[in-house]
Amino acid sequence: MKNFDDDKKKFLKANELFLNNNFNEAESIYINLIKQYPDKDSLYYNLGVIYLKINNFNKGIEIILKYISLTKNPDNKFFYLISLLYEKNNNILPAIRYIKKLVKNDAEKNNFKIAKLYKKIDCINLSNKYLDRCYNLSKNNFYKIYKLFNFPIIYDDKKYYEKKKQNLIDDLKYLNKENFSISKNLLIDNPTFIHTYNGNINKDFYSSIRDFFIKKYDFLKNNSHAKNKIGKKIKLGIISEFLSFHTIGKIFHEMISRLNTNIYEVVIFNSINTIDSEIKSNLDKKYKSITLPIDQDEKIKIITNENLNILFYPDIGMSTDLFYLSYLRLADKQVVSWGHPDTTGNQNIDYFLSSKLFEENKDFSKKNYSEKLILFNNLPSYFNYPNSIKNTRNFINNVYSCPQSIYKFHPDFDDVLIKILKKDKKSKIILVKDRFSIYKKLKKRIALKDPINSTRIFFLNRGDKNFFISLCSISSVLLDPLYFGSGTTFFESMVAGTPTVTLPKKLLRSRMVKGAYDQMQVDTSLTVAKDIDDYVDKSVFLASNKKINLELRENLRKKAKKNLFENENVIDEFNNFFKKII
């Protein structure tokens, strides 16, 4: 076997290419060197990191497994790397298996990692078991608090959720009296996110969470803000982890990209977790763009130094990395919108950007927002009509689809699905799988309620936009979940014109489909229900009457193209709003 020193220059060249993000050339050199030096650990490790960087997780797993199989005692860094590759590839159980090999080396850190991985796949009892181990090792109250916020996505019934929520409220009151602080390096993941998916008014609940965190995190204390002068242009910051190929990017990127640069100087703040995409690239080219670092104090310093007049959060509650910044006053005026459609309960967020079409009753809505409610005349979103996607399939009678996120399946919605199955004996209901197979818990929950009829519920693998449009095309009707309904998926479904049956309640998050129908200016007598029974009746009627369904589809397609997509009026409203609040 050759001596590795003979090819050290090639190795150093590959390392240089790697450090300069020239991954393809570096990969080629590492692969050739491995053929000559199959026992050289650094070659395998660097190649594994390259595959992690370029999102080729299967190849990364393959190369690291190969090295582990060849070596009696691999360095711990290989276990960390393969665990991360499995996690990124959504294979959580193997990721856990390799982290468990490292528990003896750094018990607290690795037990916490295991707890978070079990949380990802909704194994909350196992997650809590490892959180208890972390607390026993460290006596750090953070792990107690994390456990309090550890809510499952799929739970058996409302009583379970309400009891756990009340325990959280009570325990936070008790812990608030204790004298301790939490490190800025230990953040509770998305502490309010899951609670938006219930039909509750959350203003006071979220306010109590905010008060707790401000008291316990030092980086949130003593926040003072001096008003910034307005120069020739209004300095407008826009902050989100998801201004990319994501629901948030789809909703807001067109409005943001068409801000009037004669009026606004725009700065985009991305998270270190923001994924590269065409949407991100377009915004980065047009405006000053800053990727914020991991450290919370550094984030605050960077944003503060921009001397912003306005800071706009398209969403609050979905990003752990950026969530806690919203508790601070980092600009003269701070605004949130319906990217995550719930109030923040946060006195430092001044305005909530909604629409007259989203809110049932202005006076009711005002009471349930901690922010000042701003009601656009139009839906606060701009969607280009997707001409590249064609509707090529005809629908099939008695097929009901709900291609929504697993978070939206409240236990009450199970009962709606079962009622449809009972009323329409020919019915088939199509749902979509999630990436972590949590759908199996949902499937089991529904089966326990009705083991016979639930056999006509089918879960399909989630696909791309063309898959979604094809599914809409063959479906007789789309079912809008209770409490947190369809958003961007409704816009996309209008390419096929498939009718969505919806049951709007009082809160915005259940009224998005109703708002879209109203902007389209269509008759909703066949699609907007008054109660559960009416929802079932309307769904079954549309799924069983092909002639009426086809006529409705054609009308929905036409009205959507005319009134829903490419609405120039909202661009003007968006531009004028920020100017008015200064």
Side-chain angles (χ1 to χ4, degrees):
M1 186 179 291
K2 290 174 67 178
N3 189 313
F4 185 67
D5 289 339
D6 298 339
D7 286 304
K8 196 167 185 178
K9 286 183 179 179
K10 291 181 182 178
F11 177 67
L12 293 174
K13 176 64 175 176
N15 290 349
E16 182 183 349
L17 291 166
F18 169 78
L19 291 172
N20 290 320
N21 296 329
N22 197 335
F23 297 128
N24 289 336
E25 286 187 54
E27 175 195 7
S28 178
I29 295 172
Y30 287 136
I31 288 172
N32 286 328
L33 287 172
I34 282 174
K35 290 175 184 176
Q36 300 174 65
Y37 309 100
D39 59 345
K40 191 66 178 174
D41 62 347
S42 55
L43 298 174
Y44 292 90
Y45 185 79
N46 290 3
L47 191 54
V49 173
I50 283 178
Y51 290 134
L52 178 66
K53 293 274 189 181
I54 64 175
N55 297 330
N56 194 337
F57 307 124
N58 285 325
K59 267 197 170 182
I61 290 166
E62 181 184 343
I63 199 71
I64 300 303
L65 280 178
K66 180 179 179 182
Y67 177 75
I68 289 173
S69 69
L70 293 172
T71 311
K72 287 185 178 180
N73 295 303
D75 190 280
N76 288 336
K77 67 182 182 182
F78 286 93
F79 295 131
Y80 276 116
L81 179 56
I82 196 167
S83 177
L84 186 55
L85 285 161
Y86 272 121
E87 181 185 355
K88 294 289 187 181
N89 207 33
N90 301 326
N91 295 324
I92 302 301
L93 290 177
I96 291 171
R97 186 169 68 247
Y98 281 102
I99 285 292
K100 283 182 176 179
K101 293 179 181 292
L102 301 169
V103 164
K104 290 181 181 179
N105 300 311
D106 191 339
E108 182 186 344
K109 175 185 172 182
N110 290 316
N111 275 301
F112 184 45
K113 179 65 176 175
I114 293 167
K116 293 181 78 167
L117 287 170
Y118 274 125
K119 179 183 173 71
K120 270 195 172 185
I121 55 176
D122 214 33
C123 293
I124 299 302
N125 289 337
L126 284 169
S127 178
N128 287 340
K129 173 184 171 182
Y130 283 89
L131 290 170
D132 287 339
R133 289 185 182 181
C134 291
Y135 179 75
N136 291 333
L137 286 164
S138 67
K139 303 304 178 186
N140 188 336
N141 282 319
F142 167 77
Y143 299 111
K144 280 186 176 180
I145 298 162
Y146 197 101
K147 186 176 175 181
L148 288 174
F149 281 95
N150 222 4
F151 280 70
I153 297 166
I154 299 297
Y155 48 87
D156 292 338
D157 54 47
K158 288 187 293 187
K159 288 182 180 178
Y160 168 87
Y161 169 78
E162 293 299 339
K163 182 179 179 181
K164 187 167 175 59
K165 179 183 172 184
Q166 190 57 53
N167 288 341
L168 169 61
I169 293 169
D170 293 342
D171 288 350
L172 286 184
K173 286 179 181 177
Y174 172 77
L175 287 166
N176 219 2
K177 296 174 184 176
E178 294 193 3
N179 186 25
F180 67 91
S181 60
I182 309 172
S183 166
K184 65 181 178 181
N185 299 318
L186 293 172
L187 300 176
I188 308 296
D189 292 315
N190 298 333
T192 61
F193 175 78
I194 195 70
H195 304 288
T196 300
Y197 293 90
N198 293 275
N200 298 330
I201 295 167
N202 289 319
K203 183 176 78 170
D204 293 340
F205 176 43
Y206 290 170
S207 292
S208 67
I209 292 172
R210 174 192 178 274
D211 292 345
F212 177 81
F213 285 137
I214 284 178
K215 189 172 181 180
K216 298 304 180 186
Y217 281 114
D218 288 339
F219 75 92
L220 297 178
K221 297 174 183 175
N222 304 317
N223 175 222
S224 59
H225 173 77
K227 189 172 181 179
N228 296 312
K229 291 181 180 180
I230 300 174
K232 292 181 180 179
K233 297 180 182 181
I234 295 169
K235 193 79 174 287
L236 172 59
I238 300 172
I239 181 168
S240 175
E241 182 175 326
F242 305 109
L243 289 175
S244 184
F245 190 71
H246 182 278
T247 296
I248 303 305
K250 293 177 186 178
I251 291 172
F252 291 103
H253 87 275
E254 190 71 26
M255 294 192 297
I256 292 169
S257 68
R258 291 175 63 182
L259 283 163
N260 188 337
T261 53
N262 293 320
I263 300 172
Y264 303 108
E265 180 185 347
V266 179
V267 183
I268 305 289
F269 298 101
N270 293 308
S271 164
I272 199 167
N273 302 318
T274 302
I275 297 170
D276 286 333
S277 70
E278 185 179 353
I279 289 173
K280 181 180 182 299
S281 177
N282 289 340
L283 292 174
D284 289 351
K285 287 174 185 175
K286 180 155 189 181
Y287 304 121
K288 180 178 180 179
S289 179
I290 298 172
T291 297
L292 295 169
I294 293 174
D295 184 81
Q296 296 295 325
D297 288 317
E298 286 299 311
K299 285 187 180 79
I300 294 165
K301 183 179 178 181
I302 289 168
I303 298 172
T304 302
N305 286 344
E306 288 296 322
N307 299 312
L308 301 172
N309 302 120
I310 304 170
L311 185 56
F312 174 52
Y313 293 84
D315 60 285
I316 291 177
M318 298 168 67
S319 167
T320 303
D321 185 44
L322 302 180
F323 172 80
Y324 293 88
L325 297 176
S326 70
Y327 287 151
L328 300 169
R329 174 66 63 180
L330 300 174
D332 303 335
K333 301 290 183 180
Q334 302 195 146
V335 184
V336 69
S337 194
W338 68 292
H340 193 58
D342 203 354
T343 185
T344 63
N346 179 1
Q347 66 186 26
N348 276 332
I349 302 297
D350 303 300
Y351 301 95
F352 190 104
L353 197 54
S354 184
S355 168
K356 293 175 181 177
L357 303 172
F358 278 160
E359 307 292 341
E360 180 190 39
N361 179 288
K362 188 175 181 181
D363 292 332
F364 169 84
S365 296
K366 279 184 175 180
K367 293 177 184 176
N368 296 300
Y369 286 90
S370 57
E371 310 82 6
K372 182 177 180 181
L373 186 60
I374 303 297
L375 299 177
F376 278 12
N377 293 316
N378 302 274
L379 298 185
S381 59
Y382 184 104
F383 275 79
N384 290 302
Y385 188 82
N387 288 303
S388 60
I389 295 177
K390 304 299 181 185
N391 173 29
T392 56
R393 298 193 178 196
N394 295 322
F395 88 86
I396 304 167
N397 278 356
N398 312 102
V399 174
Y400 306 75
S401 292
C402 184
Q404 297 293 327
S405 161
I406 195 74
Y407 292 97
K408 295 184 179 182
F409 286 85
H410 190 278
D412 289 350
F413 193 48
D414 301 354
D415 302 329
V416 176
L417 301 179
I418 290 168
K419 283 189 173 188
I420 289 171
L421 291 165
K422 286 180 176 178
K423 189 175 180 71
D424 181 357
K425 302 300 181 185
K426 298 178 181 178
S427 62
K428 296 179 179 64
I429 294 178
I430 298 175
L431 310 179
V432 292
K433 299 177 182 179
D434 65 289
R435 55 185 173 152
F436 297 127
S437 297
I438 298 169
Y439 79 91
K440 292 176 182 178
K441 290 179 67 178
L442 174 62
K443 186 176 182 179
K444 181 180 179 181
R445 187 178 75 189
I446 300 173
L448 287 171
K449 294 179 179 180
D450 189 333
I452 296 173
N453 288 301
S454 64
T455 58
R456 287 183 280 128
I457 297 177
F458 302 92
F459 288 84
L460 301 184
N461 291 323
R462 188 176 292 273
D464 60 12
K465 191 180 289 187
N466 286 299
F467 162 83
F468 175 78
I469 298 301
S470 294
L471 177 57
C472 290
S473 299
I474 65 167
S475 301
S476 314
V477 66
L478 298 176
L479 304 174
D480 198 31
L482 305 179
Y483 308 136
F484 194 131
S486 308
T488 55
T489 50
F490 178 82
F491 281 79
E492 292 165 351
S493 74
M494 284 300 99
V495 175
T498 312
T500 295
V501 173
T502 185
L503 176 56
K505 300 287 187 179
K506 290 186 176 183
L507 298 173
L508 183 164
R509 52 193 183 270
S510 70
R511 303 185 61 79
M512 295 179 286
V513 170
K514 170 69 162 58
Y517 277 142
D518 288 346
Q519 180 156 305
M520 289 162 62
Q521 300 175 31
V522 294
D523 175 14
T524 57
S525 58
L526 293 175
T527 53
V528 177
K530 299 173 183 176
D531 54 38
I532 295 292
D533 289 338
D534 191 34
Y535 182 108
V536 173
D537 290 343
K538 281 178 164 52
S539 300
V540 173
F541 177 80
L542 285 171
S544 309
N545 290 274
K546 191 164 190 173
K547 184 173 182 290
I548 291 172
N549 194 313
L550 286 170
E551 289 172 355
L552 179 58
R553 283 170 185 251
E554 183 61 25
N555 185 47
L556 291 175
R557 278 197 296 268
K558 287 179 179 178
K559 291 287 190 177
K561 197 162 188 179
K562 181 180 178 182
N563 298 323
L564 187 65
F565 292 101
E566 299 175 12
N567 179 15
E568 294 297 321
N569 293 326
V570 76
I571 301 295
D572 293 334
E573 283 196 283
F574 193 68
N575 268 288
N576 291 331
F577 163 70
F578 293 113
K579 187 169 57 175
K580 286 177 182 177
I581 65 173
I582 288 294

